[in-house]
Amino acid sequence: MSTAPPRSAAQRERHTTATLAARPAATRGHEAPLNAADEIRAYSGDPDFMATLARGLAVVRAFTQQRRPLTIAQLAGKTGIPRAAVRRCLYTLSELGYVASDDGRNFTLRPRILALGHAYLTSSPLASSAQPILDHVSDTVHESCSMSILEGGEILYIGRSRAASRIMSIDLTVGSRLPAYCTSMGRVLLSGLDPAELAAYLGRVRLAPYTAKTQTSTAKLRAIVEGLRSRDCAIVDQELEIGLRSISVPVRDARGRIAAAINISVQADRVSVADMEAKLKPHLLAAAHELGLLLN
């Protein structure tokens, strides 16, 4: 049996873009971002792509940061996958010990699902070795320090050292996700995409206004991200949450490619934008350099 070579990130983005372009104009852009079913359909015609496996993973991802059980109908609505297929996915996941239901209607993830994420955290040199470095930065500046990667148009937290004071309304932990477009780590990571990948992302992202300061212009966001390619940090001022500022720098591998981003988050009424760049950025750059050595 012939084996197709794995697709690059750019090829995956082109598949997604082709799917978006094929949709009616009234459903494109801000009003209808791609769901999991759309992304899976983008691979139709690829004989080596396992749509069944992709649907199962999409169902698992639909539970992300949920604090309540989900029904088959709710999961179908979140993923765009037909209810019958969602039911079969849940049955399989339940038999394997990854999903549970007390009443046959409401489903939750079981602790066994943590083994999947743990495998990544322990096998990735960056993720497994970053915690002492993040802790050192946090202890030095007395602010929270985090690390993330870009995954599916969102930032995925793979390391976090939280300061004693909580400055966000949500509690971020390893595995948490936030939108890339209005976070400093997200913009750093987006600046590492090639032009085709960035264009595909901007073509499908819904720039929802989290606050009155959130940048919702695609053209302006593109200019911001492209401008970061010649800078060594990004600062986002209260675009995700009022009262929250963050500064991020890239973690680069031996070839100079952006592999991750690290940030420091502060309360806006305590630390000015000027002080973030003057006093916090040097600590981030030193940490990023140390983390980059792990990738060589």
Side-chain angles (χ1 to χ4, degrees):
M1 182 183 72
S2 63
T3 302
R7 284 194 172 111
S8 67
Q11 287 172 317
R12 292 194 298 271
E13 291 285 358
R14 284 194 289 271
H15 266 265
T16 300
T17 303
T19 299
L20 183 62
R23 303 171 88 182
T27 67
R28 294 182 200 161
H30 296 352
E31 292 79 7
L34 290 179
N35 58 28
D38 291 324
E39 294 173 353
I40 293 169
R41 277 193 292 271
Y43 288 90
S44 61
D46 185 341
D48 293 308
F49 183 77
M50 295 180 64
T52 301
L53 175 59
R55 285 193 288 268
L57 293 172
V59 169
V60 170
R61 292 199 306 271
F63 284 97
T64 300
Q65 294 191 10
Q66 290 293 329
R67 299 294 188 268
R68 57 183 173 81
L70 294 175
T71 66
I72 291 175
Q74 289 169 330
L75 287 165
K78 286 172 66 68
T79 62
I81 298 171
R83 293 190 187 189
V86 171
R87 180 186 59 78
R88 291 193 296 272
C89 289
L90 289 170
Y91 174 80
T92 303
L93 291 166
S94 178
E95 289 296 300
L96 295 175
Y98 293 112
V99 165
S101 176
D102 292 332
D103 57 9
R105 295 185 65 257
N106 298 281
F107 295 85
T108 59
L109 296 179
R110 296 186 63 184
R112 189 174 186 180
I113 203 75
L114 295 173
L116 301 179
H118 182 70
Y120 167 76
L121 292 174
T122 56
S123 63
S124 166
L126 188 61
S128 62
S129 304
Q131 196 60 49
I133 298 173
L134 301 179
D135 288 341
H136 175 71
V137 173
S138 182
D139 291 343
T140 301
V141 302
H142 307 294
E143 305 287 357
S144 295
C145 181
S146 306
M147 181 171 66
S148 70
I149 58 174
L150 188 64
E151 207 283 316
E154 297 176 309
I155 61 170
L156 173 64
Y157 281 71
I158 61 172
R160 180 161 170 80
S161 183
R162 190 176 67 180
S165 60
R166 179 172 167 179
I167 61 175
M168 289 194 69
S169 60
I170 59 174
D171 188 17
L172 295 173
T173 60
V174 172
S176 294
R177 291 172 176 266
L178 289 174
Y181 67 90
C182 59
T183 56
S184 61
M185 287 194 289
R187 289 181 181 174
V188 164
L189 293 166
L190 289 173
S191 73
L193 298 179
D194 66 34
E197 291 172 323
L198 180 59
Y201 168 80
L202 293 173
R204 73 175 188 271
V205 68
R206 179 176 180 270
L207 302 180
Y210 279 77
T211 75
K213 293 177 174 286
T214 305
Q215 181 56 255
T216 58
S217 164
T218 300
K220 291 181 180 178
L221 179 62
R222 182 195 298 274
I224 291 171
V225 171
E226 291 178 343
L228 292 175
R229 291 172 179 160
S230 59
R231 299 192 62 202
D232 56 6
C233 78
I235 295 177
V236 169
D237 184 10
Q238 305 182 78
E239 293 190 43
L240 178 68
E241 185 171 307
I242 291 297
L244 174 70
R245 287 185 178 132
S246 67
I247 179 172
S248 298
V249 302
V251 177
R252 298 181 183 273
D253 63 18
R255 297 183 180 181
R257 297 173 300 191
I258 297 177
I262 57 173
N263 87 330
I264 294 173
S265 300
V266 302
Q267 291 177 335
D269 60 356
R270 288 195 297 103
V271 184
S272 68
V273 170
D275 281 346
M276 292 181 74
E277 189 152 6
K279 298 178 180 180
L280 301 182
K281 185 174 75 171
H283 296 284
L284 281 178
L285 290 175
H289 174 72
E290 190 173 354
L291 288 167
L293 295 177
L294 301 173
L295 301 174
N296 295 338

